[in-house]
Amino acid sequence: MKHKTLPPIQIDEKNRRILTILQENARTSNAEIARRLGMTTSAVFERIRKMEERGIIRGYSVQVEPAALGLPLSAFVSVKITPHRLAPEVGQAIAAIEGVEEAYHMTGEECFIARIRCSDTDSLERILMQINDIEPVFATRTLIILRSAKEISGALLSSVVGELAPDEGI
């Protein structure tokens, strides 16, 4: 979803509460959000529309259980490359590999970290071979996830502080 470039804003308490409800269940209706927050449906609709326009809400998604799709194995793979100037190309190559769920360019010794989801260790080995075949890659380190203690998608709203001035409201 493309959005217009508008000046950054801080999120007031009502917007934070709207975002929290939507993160818990993106299918919550505007009417239900309005009821829970003591607002009108049109006010909730307008706030959500403005947050979408400003790119605060980037989109809506469905969270799927990977194991139900035959992808019970998850791992983090850190990647070292040289020369570092090839990082953009390496990032694109890593991201294009089937089974790579997320890929991040990092600071420090290891230039990238990728989250892999696959069916078994044979699949993981094939993905690791593809990563290692990328020309500037000279080392990888793999950490298999045994169990998730916490997984979220999107920003942690509990860390958002600050309120809008009365004339800046969304």
Side-chain angles (χ1 to χ4, degrees):
M1 166 186 282
K2 280 256 187 209
H3 59 85
K4 301 174 199 172
T5 304
L6 297 171
I9 60 165
Q10 291 184 314
I11 305 298
D12 70 6
E13 182 61 22
K14 285 189 179 186
N15 287 339
R16 190 184 66 74
R17 290 177 67 197
I18 290 169
L19 290 170
T20 300
I21 290 167
L22 290 172
Q23 278 192 314
E24 289 170 1
N25 181 358
R27 296 181 67 179
T28 305
S29 70
N30 291 346
E32 174 61 17
I33 295 169
R35 185 193 66 72
R36 288 170 59 180
L37 301 182
M39 298 172 63
T40 66
T41 303
S42 61
V44 168
F45 174 82
E46 188 63 20
R47 283 174 174 264
I48 290 172
R49 184 188 65 75
K50 287 183 178 178
M51 286 189 282
E52 289 170 343
E53 279 181 358
R54 286 178 168 81
I56 294 166
I57 297 175
R58 295 187 310 191
Y60 301 87
S61 64
V62 174
Q63 294 179 355
V64 178
E65 174 55 47
L69 299 176
L71 303 170
L73 183 64
S74 190
F76 286 108
V77 178
S78 61
V79 180
K80 292 182 181 182
I81 68 167
T82 191
H84 290 279
R85 65 181 161 71
L86 297 176
E89 292 86 355
V90 173
Q92 288 176 341
I94 291 171
I97 296 171
E98 187 174 335
V100 173
E101 184 175 78
E102 299 172 275
Y104 301 97
H105 185 201
M106 310 291 288
T107 60
E109 263 186 65
E110 294 159 329
C111 293
F112 289 93
I113 190 158
R115 183 176 185 153
I116 312 297
R117 289 218 194 253
C118 54
S119 58
D120 52 32
T121 55
D122 289 338
S123 298
L124 177 60
E125 182 180 27
R126 280 190 295 279
I127 293 167
L128 291 173
M129 288 170 51
Q130 287 180 287
I131 292 172
N132 280 295
D133 283 345
I134 298 169
E135 190 57 41
V137 172
F138 72 89
T140 61
R141 185 171 57 113
T142 304
L143 302 165
I144 294 177
I145 298 169
L146 299 175
R147 180 177 301 113
S148 174
K150 181 177 183 178
E151 269 186 81
I152 62 164
S153 65
L156 284 172
L157 292 175
S158 60
S159 65
V160 177
V161 292
E163 293 197 16
L164 296 172
D167 59 325
E168 292 183 293
I170 312 188

PDB file of all heavy atoms in Angstrom, residues 113-140:
ATOM      1  N   ILE A 113      20.906 -11.032   8.664  1.00  0.00           N
ATOM      2  CA  ILE A 113      20.262 -12.108   9.415  1.00  0.00           C
ATOM      3  C   ILE A 113      18.963 -12.416   8.678  1.00  0.00           C
ATOM      4  O   ILE A 113      18.257 -11.504   8.237  1.00  0.00           O
ATOM      5  CB  ILE A 113      20.040 -11.771  10.901  1.00  0.00           C
ATOM      6  CG1 ILE A 113      19.612 -13.020  11.653  1.00  0.00           C
ATOM      7  CG2 ILE A 113      19.050 -10.643  11.082  1.00  0.00           C
ATOM      8  CD1 ILE A 113      19.856 -12.959  13.138  1.00  0.00           C
ATOM      9  N   ALA A 114      18.703 -13.685   8.486  1.00  0.00           N
ATOM     10  CA  ALA A 114      17.507 -14.118   7.773  1.00  0.00           C
ATOM     11  C   ALA A 114      16.740 -15.095   8.646  1.00  0.00           C
ATOM     12  O   ALA A 114      17.341 -15.906   9.358  1.00  0.00           O
ATOM     13  CB  ALA A 114      17.888 -14.791   6.453  1.00  0.00           C
ATOM     14  N   ARG A 115      15.431 -14.995   8.589  1.00  0.00           N
ATOM     15  CA  ARG A 115      14.586 -15.973   9.269  1.00  0.00           C
ATOM     16  C   ARG A 115      14.079 -16.931   8.202  1.00  0.00           C
ATOM     17  O   ARG A 115      13.502 -16.519   7.200  1.00  0.00           O
ATOM     18  CB  ARG A 115      13.420 -15.317   9.976  1.00  0.00           C
ATOM     19  CG  ARG A 115      12.593 -16.350  10.737  1.00  0.00           C
ATOM     20  CD  ARG A 115      11.494 -15.721  11.527  1.00  0.00           C
ATOM     21  NE  ARG A 115      10.847 -16.762  12.308  1.00  0.00           N
ATOM     22  CZ  ARG A 115      10.225 -16.543  13.433  1.00  0.00           C
ATOM     23  NH1 ARG A 115      10.154 -15.330  13.917  1.00  0.00           N
ATOM     24  NH2 ARG A 115       9.662 -17.529  14.078  1.00  0.00           N
ATOM     25  N   ILE A 116      14.298 -18.195   8.445  1.00  0.00           N
ATOM     26  CA  ILE A 116      13.939 -19.255   7.508  1.00  0.00           C
ATOM     27  C   ILE A 116      12.779 -20.052   8.088  1.00  0.00           C
ATOM     28  O   ILE A 116      12.769 -20.354   9.280  1.00  0.00           O
ATOM     29  CB  ILE A 116      15.129 -20.231   7.299  1.00  0.00           C
ATOM     30  CG1 ILE A 116      16.432 -19.497   7.016  1.00  0.00           C
ATOM     31  CG2 ILE A 116      14.802 -21.291   6.264  1.00  0.00           C
ATOM     32  CD1 ILE A 116      16.456 -18.694   5.777  1.00  0.00           C
ATOM     33  N   ARG A 117      11.819 -20.413   7.247  1.00  0.00           N
ATOM     34  CA  ARG A 117      10.758 -21.360   7.625  1.00  0.00           C
ATOM     35  C   ARG A 117      10.758 -22.455   6.568  1.00  0.00           C
ATOM     36  O   ARG A 117      10.737 -22.175   5.377  1.00  0.00           O
ATOM     37  CB  ARG A 117       9.397 -20.692   7.652  1.00  0.00           C
ATOM     38  CG  ARG A 117       9.246 -19.746   8.815  1.00  0.00           C
ATOM     39  CD  ARG A 117       7.847 -19.833   9.376  1.00  0.00           C
ATOM     40  NE  ARG A 117       7.592 -18.734  10.248  1.00  0.00           N
ATOM     41  CZ  ARG A 117       7.519 -18.828  11.570  1.00  0.00           C
ATOM     42  NH1 ARG A 117       7.688 -19.987  12.162  1.00  0.00           N
ATOM     43  NH2 ARG A 117       7.262 -17.774  12.301  1.00  0.00           N
ATOM     44  N   CYS A 118      10.797 -23.689   7.043  1.00  0.00           N
ATOM     45  CA  CYS A 118      10.828 -24.809   6.099  1.00  0.00           C
ATOM     46  C   CYS A 118      10.249 -26.058   6.752  1.00  0.00           C
ATOM     47  O   CYS A 118       9.883 -26.058   7.919  1.00  0.00           O
ATOM     48  CB  CYS A 118      12.246 -25.032   5.586  1.00  0.00           C
ATOM     49  SG  CYS A 118      13.481 -25.251   6.860  1.00  0.00           S
ATOM     50  N   SER A 119      10.221 -27.133   5.968  1.00  0.00           N
ATOM     51  CA  SER A 119       9.557 -28.355   6.422  1.00  0.00           C
ATOM     52  C   SER A 119      10.427 -29.244   7.296  1.00  0.00           C
ATOM     53  O   SER A 119       9.920 -29.913   8.189  1.00  0.00           O
ATOM     54  CB  SER A 119       9.056 -29.147   5.214  1.00  0.00           C
ATOM     55  OG  SER A 119      10.141 -29.449   4.358  1.00  0.00           O
ATOM     56  N   ASP A 120      11.735 -29.278   7.023  1.00  0.00           N
ATOM     57  CA  ASP A 120      12.605 -30.198   7.758  1.00  0.00           C
ATOM     58  C   ASP A 120      14.062 -29.789   7.582  1.00  0.00           C
ATOM     59  O   ASP A 120      14.365 -28.819   6.889  1.00  0.00           O
ATOM     60  CB  ASP A 120      12.378 -31.641   7.276  1.00  0.00           C
ATOM     61  CG  ASP A 120      12.494 -31.780   5.758  1.00  0.00           C
ATOM     62  OD1 ASP A 120      13.287 -31.033   5.134  1.00  0.00           O
ATOM     63  OD2 ASP A 120      11.782 -32.628   5.195  1.00  0.00           O
ATOM     64  N   THR A 121      14.966 -30.551   8.183  1.00  0.00           N
ATOM     65  CA  THR A 121      16.392 -30.199   8.111  1.00  0.00           C
ATOM     66  C   THR A 121      16.950 -30.353   6.701  1.00  0.00           C
ATOM     67  O   THR A 121      17.878 -29.633   6.332  1.00  0.00           O
ATOM     68  CB  THR A 121      17.221 -31.034   9.111  1.00  0.00           C
ATOM     69  OG1 THR A 121      16.979 -32.428   8.884  1.00  0.00           O
ATOM     70  CG2 THR A 121      16.870 -30.669  10.549  1.00  0.00           C
ATOM     71  N   ASP A 122      16.395 -31.259   5.896  1.00  0.00           N
ATOM     72  CA  ASP A 122      16.844 -31.371   4.505  1.00  0.00           C
ATOM     73  C   ASP A 122      16.535 -30.078   3.743  1.00  0.00           C
ATOM     74  O   ASP A 122      17.363 -29.584   2.980  1.00  0.00           O
ATOM     75  CB  ASP A 122      16.182 -32.558   3.794  1.00  0.00           C
ATOM     76  CG  ASP A 122      16.700 -33.900   4.300  1.00  0.00           C
ATOM     77  OD1 ASP A 122      17.810 -33.944   4.860  1.00  0.00           O
ATOM     78  OD2 ASP A 122      15.974 -34.905   4.127  1.00  0.00           O
ATOM     79  N   SER A 123      15.343 -29.538   3.949  1.00  0.00           N
ATOM     80  CA  SER A 123      14.971 -28.267   3.311  1.00  0.00           C
ATOM     81  C   SER A 123      15.852 -27.129   3.812  1.00  0.00           C
ATOM     82  O   SER A 123      16.285 -26.284   3.028  1.00  0.00           O
ATOM     83  CB  SER A 123      13.506 -27.928   3.598  1.00  0.00           C
ATOM     84  OG  SER A 123      12.656 -28.895   3.060  1.00  0.00           O
ATOM     85  N   LEU A 124      16.121 -27.113   5.113  1.00  0.00           N
ATOM     86  CA  LEU A 124      16.989 -26.090   5.676  1.00  0.00           C
ATOM     87  C   LEU A 124      18.379 -26.177   5.055  1.00  0.00           C
ATOM     88  O   LEU A 124      18.976 -25.167   4.684  1.00  0.00           O
ATOM     89  CB  LEU A 124      17.078 -26.219   7.202  1.00  0.00           C
ATOM     90  CG  LEU A 124      18.005 -25.243   7.918  1.00  0.00           C
ATOM     91  CD1 LEU A 124      17.581 -23.794   7.675  1.00  0.00           C
ATOM     92  CD2 LEU A 124      18.038 -25.546   9.413  1.00  0.00           C
ATOM     93  N   GLU A 125      18.887 -27.396   4.893  1.00  0.00           N
ATOM     94  CA  GLU A 125      20.204 -27.571   4.282  1.00  0.00           C
ATOM     95  C   GLU A 125      20.222 -27.020   2.851  1.00  0.00           C
ATOM     96  O   GLU A 125      21.186 -26.350   2.453  1.00  0.00           O
ATOM     97  CB  GLU A 125      20.586 -29.053   4.287  1.00  0.00           C
ATOM     98  CG  GLU A 125      21.965 -29.305   3.718  1.00  0.00           C
ATOM     99  CD  GLU A 125      22.349 -30.779   3.734  1.00  0.00           C
ATOM    100  OE1 GLU A 125      21.455 -31.654   3.688  1.00  0.00           O
ATOM    101  OE2 GLU A 125      23.564 -31.048   3.782  1.00  0.00           O
ATOM    102  N   ARG A 126      19.168 -27.274   2.072  1.00  0.00           N
ATOM    103  CA  ARG A 126      19.104 -26.745   0.697  1.00  0.00           C
ATOM    104  C   ARG A 126      19.112 -25.215   0.694  1.00  0.00           C
ATOM    105  O   ARG A 126      19.798 -24.588  -0.116  1.00  0.00           O
ATOM    106  CB  ARG A 126      17.855 -27.272  -0.018  1.00  0.00           C
ATOM    107  CG  ARG A 126      18.002 -28.691  -0.546  1.00  0.00           C
ATOM    108  CD  ARG A 126      16.846 -29.081  -1.454  1.00  0.00           C
ATOM    109  NE  ARG A 126      15.557 -29.155  -0.774  1.00  0.00           N
ATOM    110  CZ  ARG A 126      15.140 -30.190  -0.045  1.00  0.00           C
ATOM    111  NH1 ARG A 126      15.915 -31.256   0.092  1.00  0.00           N
ATOM    112  NH2 ARG A 126      13.965 -30.182   0.531  1.00  0.00           N
ATOM    113  N   ILE A 127      18.380 -24.611   1.617  1.00  0.00           N
ATOM    114  CA  ILE A 127      18.339 -23.147   1.707  1.00  0.00           C
ATOM    115  C   ILE A 127      19.716 -22.615   2.103  1.00  0.00           C
ATOM    116  O   ILE A 127      20.204 -21.634   1.524  1.00  0.00           O
ATOM    117  CB  ILE A 127      17.253 -22.692   2.706  1.00  0.00           C
ATOM    118  CG1 ILE A 127      15.869 -23.045   2.159  1.00  0.00           C
ATOM    119  CG2 ILE A 127      17.369 -21.190   2.998  1.00  0.00           C
ATOM    120  CD1 ILE A 127      14.738 -22.938   3.177  1.00  0.00           C
ATOM    121  N   LEU A 128      20.368 -23.262   3.059  1.00  0.00           N
ATOM    122  CA  LEU A 128      21.707 -22.833   3.487  1.00  0.00           C
ATOM    123  C   LEU A 128      22.706 -22.941   2.336  1.00  0.00           C
ATOM    124  O   LEU A 128      23.567 -22.068   2.173  1.00  0.00           O
ATOM    125  CB  LEU A 128      22.182 -23.659   4.680  1.00  0.00           C
ATOM    126  CG  LEU A 128      21.429 -23.424   5.986  1.00  0.00           C
ATOM    127  CD1 LEU A 128      21.870 -24.431   7.048  1.00  0.00           C
ATOM    128  CD2 LEU A 128      21.615 -21.999   6.467  1.00  0.00           C
ATOM    129  N   MET A 129      22.583 -23.990   1.523  1.00  0.00           N
ATOM    130  CA  MET A 129      23.474 -24.127   0.373  1.00  0.00           C
ATOM    131  C   MET A 129      23.251 -22.988  -0.621  1.00  0.00           C
ATOM    132  O   MET A 129      24.205 -22.453  -1.178  1.00  0.00           O
ATOM    133  CB  MET A 129      23.281 -25.500  -0.284  1.00  0.00           C
ATOM    134  CG  MET A 129      23.850 -26.631   0.567  1.00  0.00           C
ATOM    135  SD  MET A 129      23.425 -28.308   0.024  1.00  0.00           S
ATOM    136  CE  MET A 129      23.867 -28.293  -1.685  1.00  0.00           C
ATOM    137  N   GLN A 130      21.997 -22.598  -0.819  1.00  0.00           N
ATOM    138  CA  GLN A 130      21.699 -21.482  -1.726  1.00  0.00           C
ATOM    139  C   GLN A 130      22.297 -20.173  -1.186  1.00  0.00           C
ATOM    140  O   GLN A 130      22.850 -19.387  -1.949  1.00  0.00           O
ATOM    141  CB  GLN A 130      20.186 -21.322  -1.902  1.00  0.00           C
ATOM    142  CG  GLN A 130      19.555 -22.394  -2.754  1.00  0.00           C
ATOM    143  CD  GLN A 130      18.069 -22.177  -2.872  1.00  0.00           C
ATOM    144  OE1 GLN A 130      17.323 -22.403  -1.923  1.00  0.00           O
ATOM    145  NE2 GLN A 130      17.638 -21.727  -4.031  1.00  0.00           N
ATOM    146  N   ILE A 131      22.176 -19.959   0.108  1.00  0.00           N
ATOM    147  CA  ILE A 131      22.756 -18.746   0.708  1.00  0.00           C
ATOM    148  C   ILE A 131      24.269 -18.767   0.548  1.00  0.00           C
ATOM    149  O   ILE A 131      24.880 -17.779   0.144  1.00  0.00           O
ATOM    150  CB  ILE A 131      22.343 -18.604   2.188  1.00  0.00           C
ATOM    151  CG1 ILE A 131      20.840 -18.303   2.295  1.00  0.00           C
ATOM    152  CG2 ILE A 131      23.166 -17.513   2.878  1.00  0.00           C
ATOM    153  CD1 ILE A 131      20.281 -18.334   3.709  1.00  0.00           C
ATOM    154  N   ASN A 132      24.886 -19.907   0.845  1.00  0.00           N
ATOM    155  CA  ASN A 132      26.343 -20.006   0.752  1.00  0.00           C
ATOM    156  C   ASN A 132      26.854 -19.914  -0.684  1.00  0.00           C
ATOM    157  O   ASN A 132      28.021 -19.590  -0.910  1.00  0.00           O
ATOM    158  CB  ASN A 132      26.840 -21.292   1.420  1.00  0.00           C
ATOM    159  CG  ASN A 132      26.907 -21.146   2.923  1.00  0.00           C
ATOM    160  OD1 ASN A 132      27.679 -20.352   3.434  1.00  0.00           O
ATOM    161  ND2 ASN A 132      26.072 -21.888   3.632  1.00  0.00           N
ATOM    162  N   ASP A 133      25.996 -20.183  -1.663  1.00  0.00           N
ATOM    163  CA  ASP A 133      26.386 -20.070  -3.071  1.00  0.00           C
ATOM    164  C   ASP A 133      26.384 -18.629  -3.579  1.00  0.00           C
ATOM    165  O   ASP A 133      26.872 -18.363  -4.672  1.00  0.00           O
ATOM    166  CB  ASP A 133      25.458 -20.915  -3.961  1.00  0.00           C
ATOM    167  CG  ASP A 133      25.779 -22.399  -3.890  1.00  0.00           C
ATOM    168  OD1 ASP A 133      26.880 -22.756  -3.390  1.00  0.00           O
ATOM    169  OD2 ASP A 133      24.936 -23.204  -4.329  1.00  0.00           O
ATOM    170  N   ILE A 134      25.847 -17.695  -2.796  1.00  0.00           N
ATOM    171  CA  ILE A 134      25.871 -16.286  -3.204  1.00  0.00           C
ATOM    172  C   ILE A 134      27.323 -15.821  -3.119  1.00  0.00           C
ATOM    173  O   ILE A 134      27.977 -15.976  -2.082  1.00  0.00           O
ATOM    174  CB  ILE A 134      24.939 -15.437  -2.307  1.00  0.00           C
ATOM    175  CG1 ILE A 134      23.486 -15.923  -2.439  1.00  0.00           C
ATOM    176  CG2 ILE A 134      25.051 -13.949  -2.668  1.00  0.00           C
ATOM    177  CD1 ILE A 134      22.538 -15.330  -1.405  1.00  0.00           C
ATOM    178  N   GLU A 135      27.843 -15.271  -4.207  1.00  0.00           N
ATOM    179  CA  GLU A 135      29.281 -14.995  -4.372  1.00  0.00           C
ATOM    180  C   GLU A 135      29.985 -14.317  -3.184  1.00  0.00           C
ATOM    181  O   GLU A 135      30.978 -14.832  -2.725  1.00  0.00           O
ATOM    182  CB  GLU A 135      29.514 -14.199  -5.655  1.00  0.00           C
ATOM    183  CG  GLU A 135      30.976 -14.068  -6.034  1.00  0.00           C
ATOM    184  CD  GLU A 135      31.689 -15.415  -6.198  1.00  0.00           C
ATOM    185  OE1 GLU A 135      31.100 -16.354  -6.759  1.00  0.00           O
ATOM    186  OE2 GLU A 135      32.834 -15.523  -5.745  1.00  0.00           O
ATOM    187  N   PRO A 136      29.543 -13.200  -2.635  1.00  0.00           N
ATOM    188  CA  PRO A 136      30.326 -12.586  -1.553  1.00  0.00           C
ATOM    189  C   PRO A 136      30.166 -13.237  -0.181  1.00  0.00           C
ATOM    190  O   PRO A 136      30.831 -12.838   0.767  1.00  0.00           O
ATOM    191  CB  PRO A 136      29.820 -11.142  -1.503  1.00  0.00           C
ATOM    192  CG  PRO A 136      28.854 -10.976  -2.603  1.00  0.00           C
ATOM    193  CD  PRO A 136      28.505 -12.323  -3.131  1.00  0.00           C
ATOM    194  N   VAL A 137      29.288 -14.237  -0.048  1.00  0.00           N
ATOM    195  CA  VAL A 137      29.088 -14.893   1.249  1.00  0.00           C
ATOM    196  C   VAL A 137      30.288 -15.777   1.560  1.00  0.00           C
ATOM    197  O   VAL A 137      30.683 -16.601   0.750  1.00  0.00           O
ATOM    198  CB  VAL A 137      27.788 -15.725   1.261  1.00  0.00           C
ATOM    199  CG1 VAL A 137      27.687 -16.561   2.542  1.00  0.00           C
ATOM    200  CG2 VAL A 137      26.577 -14.819   1.104  1.00  0.00           C
ATOM    201  N   PHE A 138      30.877 -15.563   2.756  1.00  0.00           N
ATOM    202  CA  PHE A 138      31.996 -16.425   3.137  1.00  0.00           C
ATOM    203  C   PHE A 138      31.741 -17.193   4.428  1.00  0.00           C
ATOM    204  O   PHE A 138      32.500 -18.108   4.756  1.00  0.00           O
ATOM    205  CB  PHE A 138      33.319 -15.648   3.209  1.00  0.00           C
ATOM    206  CG  PHE A 138      33.440 -14.709   4.363  1.00  0.00           C
ATOM    207  CD1 PHE A 138      33.948 -15.129   5.585  1.00  0.00           C
ATOM    208  CD2 PHE A 138      33.073 -13.374   4.226  1.00  0.00           C
ATOM    209  CE1 PHE A 138      34.076 -14.256   6.644  1.00  0.00           C
ATOM    210  CE2 PHE A 138      33.204 -12.499   5.272  1.00  0.00           C
ATOM    211  CZ  PHE A 138      33.703 -12.930   6.498  1.00  0.00           C
ATOM    212  N   ALA A 139      30.659 -16.889   5.151  1.00  0.00           N
ATOM    213  CA  ALA A 139      30.352 -17.640   6.369  1.00  0.00           C
ATOM    214  C   ALA A 139      28.889 -17.443   6.751  1.00  0.00           C
ATOM    215  O   ALA A 139      28.319 -16.368   6.536  1.00  0.00           O
ATOM    216  CB  ALA A 139      31.245 -17.193   7.514  1.00  0.00           C
ATOM    217  N   THR A 140      28.303 -18.490   7.303  1.00  0.00           N
ATOM    218  CA  THR A 140      26.952 -18.407   7.859  1.00  0.00           C
ATOM    219  C   THR A 140      26.961 -19.083   9.225  1.00  0.00           C
ATOM    220  O   THR A 140      27.833 -19.904   9.528  1.00  0.00           O
ATOM    221  CB  THR A 140      25.902 -19.097   6.969  1.00  0.00           C
ATOM    222  OG1 THR A 140      26.235 -20.485   6.850  1.00  0.00           O
ATOM    223  CG2 THR A 140      25.800 -18.453   5.607  1.00  0.00           C
TER     224      THR A 140
END
